[in-house]
Amino acid sequence: MRILIVEDEKELANEIRDFLVSEKYNCDVAHTGKEASEMIAFNPYDFILLDLGLPDYLGLDLLQEAKKHNPESYIIIITARNEIEDKIIGLNSGADDYLAKPFSILELLSRIQAISRRKFGYKTSKIQFGNFNLDTIKKTLQYNNQIIELTSKEFKLLNYLVLNRNRILDRLQLMEHVWGDFFEEDYDSNYIDVHIKNIRKKLLTYDQKQWIKTVRGIGYKFEITD
Amino acid sequence: MKIFNLKLKNKLVFFNALTKTTIVTLLLILVPWLAGEITRQDTDKELLQKLDKVLTIIETDGINSFIDQNAELKAFGSYNIIKAEFVSIEQLERDTLIDEIQFSQRNIEDEIIDYRVLSYSLKKEGKTYLIEIGKSMDDIYKFEQKLKSYAVIFLIIILLITLLIDLVFIQFLLKPMDKIISKLHNMKNPVNFDFSNIASKTTDFVYLDQSINALMHKIERAFISEREYIGNVSHELLTPISIIRTKLDNIMLSKSLAEADMIKIVEAKQTLHRLTHLVRSLLVMSRIENEEYLLNEKVNINVLIDEVINEINDKILFKGLILERNETKTTFNFTGNKQLLFTMIYNIINNSIRYTEVGSITIISEISKDGFMLNITDTGIGMISNQTEQLFLRHKSFSQEIDSFGIGLTLTKKIADYHKISISVKSEIKKGTIIILSFPHSTNSNV
């Protein structure tokens, strides 16, 4: 999968690129709007990560160009302006998602994966662990075709853990994912612990395996051994 | 004393009224004496004129036309029917010189009457006569009373007219001052200040107005520069924060990282998160101060409250608190910025949850005569009055156990002010806190 990262801050662009490359994505980086405009015109991209605050180019113009030359590509807007109007304008202009700086690169990955699943249809929307079946589109969890009731936040949390399976997620990342814009400066990580406790309880009703491992002082890890 | 806190205009009117009333009171005290003195002098003058007439008659007709020399009683007396005046002439035994005017009582036909009496001794044909001319005090008193009444009425009318003139003049004189005060009073922030010059022919006010305008221009420049600075700095800070954040995320993903190092990175990320939240809040506040947010969305406040509750409910449940919400079938549509209004209500409820360990969070919303009221009551730790006053100031936190920059409530107040929503706080230590939001009815709302 080919991704174009349009970000004028070289260090940030390189960090995102390094991470996505480690996740087996093929990445190009453009540091200016002009550079990005040329790359979009001549190369097909599956994803374009577009920083709206480019010094030499209007971000929304670049978005229009991308939609024109790469109609099949999916666009995630990245901006330092965390405003709902910007989000609405961006999404109305054809962007598929929106991320406010600073963001977690795992959150970026989960957005890319979510869009990918939407792109490729229902077949890839289901993730299986043990006899559990997590449908990321329908937002349901089943055990041998039996639906397990999860609250929206429990589902969000479990989904995020499963998507980042075998990877340690700290509480901050989990809180950011679940509470998003309403995540406070003095967050209480107990809320995450209570949610995890509830999810574990629900999973244990069907399966004795401890899927979610606590990593002391850090957070949690969803373990699936293939 | 309240009187010292009056407006300049009222103080001047009050002072004028006080001095004038004092003067008039003094005059009113003096009037009876003055009226008495004037009446006495007028009466004496009249008596002297009458004496002159009597003397002329005596000169012309001779004393014998009044005094019968053969009679035993050598005296003459005359008074009118109502005994208002009398003239008497009598021969004195001794040669005495008399020329005086005094008050005296006379018995006329068995009636004691007060008179002002002129006594004058006249030598005629080797004999001494006493001429007495009297005027009844009744008449004098009546005249004196009349004089007093006219004087009092006159003084009161003068007092009222001069007070009215003073009031009108002071109002006219201080009108430019009122305009200057109104300009300062109506200023929401230095950028909205009315820089137009006031119309006045009083050079002091012109100078004052020009000086204030010049000062406000300086404050305006400093204000714009400060808020642009906060906005720009906040915005610029997010990029390096973003770089650090991404780098820390990447380090965390490294498989060779020891768990102890991972914990340190998590701690660094938590600190960075606090910084991010602070910068974002400053950015939002700066945008509010710059009036960048459009207030053009029609928001059903009751629905919005339910959305906030839906978002925050699990925190209430996790703390074992009870959420109480009144029945809300009414629709109150308020025109504003939905995102900001959501943040405002969220921050208040969230704060109530944060400072409440046992009990309940009660949310009551209702249409009021002034608009719409939202009461958020908790049974938390409460505050002393000093703390309620400082609740919405930046960087205040009231719990040693809970670490906070306190910027959330500052932002809440900014959002409320931006929407002209008033916030009041009632709190009692160890009992709880009530936050009351009053949404205005007219201008930007409809029910």
Side-chain angles (χ1 to χ4, degrees):
Chain A
M1 203 171 281
R2 197 171 180 190
I3 299 177
L4 172 66
I5 303 161
V6 186
E7 170 61 63
D8 62 314
E9 284 295 331
K10 288 181 184 168
E11 256 186 290
L12 181 60
N14 293 342
E15 285 295 329
I16 297 170
R17 185 198 57 206
D18 290 352
F19 169 69
L20 291 175
V21 167
S22 76
E23 289 295 317
K24 315 285 185 245
Y25 289 98
N26 190 0
C27 289
D28 288 338
V29 176
H31 296 303
T32 63
K34 202 178 161 210
E35 208 181 330
S37 175
E38 284 168 11
M39 290 167 93
I40 287 165
F42 298 108
N43 302 299
Y45 288 104
D46 296 300
F47 274 96
I48 298 170
L49 308 181
L50 176 60
D51 179 5
L52 281 185
L54 294 167
D56 68 325
Y57 226 88
L58 279 176
L60 289 175
D61 286 352
L62 203 58
L63 183 67
Q64 295 302 329
E65 282 182 36
K67 293 308 290 179
K68 189 180 162 193
H69 297 295
N70 268 289
E72 295 297 311
S73 66
Y74 287 82
I75 299 165
I76 297 176
I77 289 172
I78 297 167
T79 172
R81 287 167 64 92
N82 181 26
E83 300 303 341
I84 203 102
E85 295 105 80
D86 299 342
K87 194 171 174 176
I88 291 166
I89 291 168
L91 295 178
N92 285 345
S93 305
D96 296 278
D97 210 341
Y98 178 101
L99 265 176
K101 283 182 188 176
F103 52 85
S104 153
I105 46 172
L106 292 180
E107 185 67 39
L108 172 67
L109 180 66
S110 86
R111 304 282 179 105
I112 291 172
Q113 288 175 341
I115 295 169
S116 299
R117 276 192 296 278
R118 284 211 299 270
K119 187 181 178 184
F120 298 118
Y122 286 111
K123 278 182 187 170
T124 54
S125 72
K126 288 179 183 171
I127 302 166
Q128 192 155 352
F129 56 97
N131 288 328
F132 291 101
N133 228 316
L134 187 88
D135 193 323
T136 55
I137 302 286
K138 288 182 181 167
K139 298 191 190 313
T140 55
L141 176 69
Q142 289 185 331
Y143 183 83
N144 289 338
N145 295 328
Q146 190 182 346
I147 288 180
I148 302 167
E149 292 293 331
L150 291 177
T151 66
S152 65
K153 286 197 170 63
E154 283 168 358
F155 181 84
K156 248 183 163 179
L157 203 53
L158 181 63
N159 184 34
Y160 197 53
L161 282 162
V162 172
L163 284 177
N164 290 290
R165 54 192 170 272
N166 299 327
R167 191 178 268 156
I168 298 170
L169 293 177
D170 60 73
R171 287 182 175 83
L172 181 79
Q173 285 170 321
L174 295 170
M175 293 286 281
E176 273 178 338
H177 181 75
V178 176
W179 274 278
D181 289 344
F182 308 111
F183 183 28
E184 306 130 49
E185 81 261 30
D186 58 337
Y187 72 96
D188 186 350
S189 60
N190 282 335
Y191 295 129
I192 280 293
D193 297 339
V194 175
H195 274 306
I196 294 285
K197 195 175 135 197
N198 291 341
I199 295 169
R200 275 176 175 159
K201 213 165 142 187
K202 287 180 183 177
L203 295 179
L204 276 172
T205 315
Y206 301 90
D207 186 348
Q208 287 305 303
K209 185 180 173 185
Q210 196 61 266
W211 293 96
I212 305 168
K213 187 187 162 195
T214 304
V215 185
R216 189 184 276 272
I218 300 170
Y220 297 95
K221 184 177 172 184
F222 196 92
E223 280 187 331
I224 301 179
T225 42
D226 297 321
Chain B
M1 267 172 76
K2 271 196 172 173
I3 198 156
F4 295 116
N5 299 325
L6 288 174
K7 282 183 174 180
L8 175 64
K9 181 170 60 185
N10 296 337
K11 276 190 179 177
L12 284 174
V13 171
F14 180 77
F15 179 74
N16 267 359
L18 196 71
T19 51
K20 286 200 169 92
T21 311
T22 310
I23 291 167
V24 166
T25 311
L26 280 175
L27 283 175
L28 288 175
I29 292 166
L30 282 174
V31 157
W33 173 81
L34 212 60
E37 199 57 27
I38 291 167
T39 319
R40 189 185 57 75
Q41 279 181 13
D42 270 5
T43 310
D44 291 356
K45 203 172 163 187
E46 195 185 331
L47 290 173
L48 284 169
Q49 282 168 352
K50 284 188 176 157
L51 176 69
D52 284 346
K53 275 186 188 172
V54 170
L55 290 174
T56 309
I57 293 167
I58 290 171
E59 198 61 40
T60 313
D61 300 345
I63 190 74
N64 292 334
S65 58
F66 296 99
I67 305 285
D68 184 358
Q69 294 298 334
N70 300 320
E72 191 182 337
L73 185 65
K74 291 184 176 54
F76 166 83
S78 165
Y79 52 86
N80 57 14
I81 305 169
I82 54 167
K83 300 160 190 167
E85 286 178 337
F86 76 85
V87 178
S88 70
I89 303 169
E90 65 176 296
Q91 191 178 326
L92 294 174
E93 295 298 324
R94 285 178 296 168
D95 186 9
T96 315
L97 194 64
I98 302 168
D99 187 3
E100 60 182 22
I101 302 173
Q102 60 189 9
F103 292 104
S104 167
Q105 284 184 332
R106 294 298 157 95
N107 187 345
I108 298 175
E109 293 176 346
D110 299 329
E111 191 184 347
I112 306 292
I113 299 169
D114 287 322
Y115 284 102
R116 180 77 176 163
V117 180
L118 184 152
S119 304
Y120 182 78
S121 59
L122 172 72
K123 276 196 173 178
K124 206 77 186 170
E125 297 165 2
K127 292 170 184 160
T128 305
Y129 297 95
L130 174 65
I131 303 170
E132 282 188 322
I133 302 168
K135 187 166 182 184
S136 163
M137 290 298 287
D138 260 5
D139 282 2
I140 295 169
Y141 289 149
K142 274 177 195 162
F143 180 70
E144 198 178 304
Q145 266 327 107
K146 215 177 266 178
L147 198 67
K148 276 184 203 168
S149 305
Y150 284 134
V152 168
I153 292 165
F154 177 75
L155 284 174
I156 289 171
I157 289 170
I158 287 291
L159 177 72
L160 292 175
I161 289 172
T162 52
L163 279 180
L164 197 68
I165 290 169
D166 283 352
L167 185 71
V168 172
F169 180 69
I170 288 168
Q171 249 175 347
F172 170 76
L173 191 71
L174 295 182
K175 209 171 176 182
M177 178 86 128
D178 287 343
K179 281 186 182 166
I180 293 171
I181 291 168
S182 154
K183 271 164 70 170
L184 289 168
H185 188 73
N186 293 334
M187 173 188 61
K188 263 170 63 188
N189 67 45
V191 180
N192 296 334
F193 187 72
D194 174 11
F195 285 101
S196 61
N197 288 321
I198 53 147
S200 174
K201 298 250 185 288
T202 312
T203 51
D204 301 294
F205 289 139
V206 172
Y207 179 72
L208 180 67
D209 186 45
Q210 285 171 349
S211 303
I212 288 174
N213 279 356
L215 197 65
M216 287 311 297
H217 270 303
K218 279 186 193 168
I219 294 172
E220 183 196 22
R221 281 194 292 273
F223 185 79
I224 291 171
S225 152
E226 189 211 340
R227 69 184 192 184
E228 277 179 358
Y229 179 77
I230 292 173
N232 291 339
V233 166
S234 305
H235 193 260
E236 290 301 319
L237 274 173
L238 286 174
T239 302
I241 286 174
S242 200
I243 294 169
I244 298 168
R245 173 66 203 265
T246 315
K247 277 183 187 293
L248 292 173
D249 275 351
N250 268 338
I251 296 169
M252 278 276 288
L253 291 169
S254 165
K255 290 194 170 67
S256 58
L257 194 69
E259 213 167 279
D261 294 332
M262 207 176 256
I263 290 171
K264 280 183 184 162
I265 290 169
V266 167
E267 285 167 359
K269 277 173 73 178
Q270 284 166 351
T271 308
L272 193 66
H273 169 71
R274 285 169 65 176
L275 177 63
T276 307
H277 194 275
L278 185 66
V279 170
R280 276 189 180 156
S281 297
L282 286 173
L283 194 56
V284 174
M285 278 199 269
S286 166
R287 288 195 67 195
I288 291 173
E289 280 165 6
N290 283 324
E291 295 178 6
E292 285 180 33
Y293 288 102
L294 296 174
L295 303 179
N296 57 0
E297 291 171 279
K298 195 183 266 186
V299 186
N300 184 336
I301 301 296
N302 271 328
V303 171
L304 189 72
I305 295 166
D306 291 337
E307 282 175 24
V308 173
I309 290 173
N310 190 40
E311 186 61 43
I312 213 164
N313 200 28
D314 57 347
K315 289 190 176 186
I316 296 172
L317 294 174
F318 288 169
K319 285 192 102 170
L321 302 173
I322 300 160
L323 174 72
E324 287 171 15
R325 170 92 168 103
N326 67 322
E327 282 284 323
T328 51
K329 285 175 185 161
T330 50
T331 301
F332 178 78
N333 286 323
F334 185 76
T335 309
N337 184 295
K338 192 180 175 187
Q339 186 195 8
L340 290 182
L341 291 169
F342 189 102
T343 305
M344 177 183 74
I345 297 170
Y346 183 94
N347 281 351
I348 293 174
I349 299 177
N350 191 47
N351 210 57
S352 294
I353 298 169
R354 187 188 300 172
Y355 289 101
T356 306
E357 293 306 321
V358 194
S360 61
I361 308 287
T362 308
I363 299 167
I364 295 170
S365 59
E366 58 195 5
I367 306 279
S368 69
K369 73 175 177 8
D370 299 321
F372 183 82
M373 294 273 281
L374 170 59
N375 291 10
I376 297 156
T377 310
D378 66 58
T379 54
I381 57 173
M383 289 172 280
I384 54 171
S385 62
N386 181 37
Q387 289 174 330
T388 56
E389 285 160 18
Q390 296 186 330
L391 188 62
F392 298 108
L393 298 177
R394 279 184 197 184
H395 310 302
K396 294 280 175 191
S397 177
F398 301 119
S399 171
Q400 297 298 315
E401 294 80 33
I402 300 168
D403 184 21
S404 170
F405 289 105
I407 201 150
L409 286 181
T410 311
L411 179 61
T412 298
K413 180 77 168 69
K414 278 247 182 282
I415 296 171
D417 289 346
Y418 191 52
H419 285 86
K420 297 188 175 66
I421 298 164
S422 76
I423 302 188
S424 56
V425 187
K426 288 177 193 166
S427 192
E428 209 174 324
I429 203 93
K430 289 181 183 167
K431 292 228 168 137
T433 304
I434 309 174
I435 307 265
I436 303 157
L437 292 176
S438 304
F439 292 73
H441 215 328
S442 52
T443 57
N444 54 352
S445 70
N446 61 61
V447 180

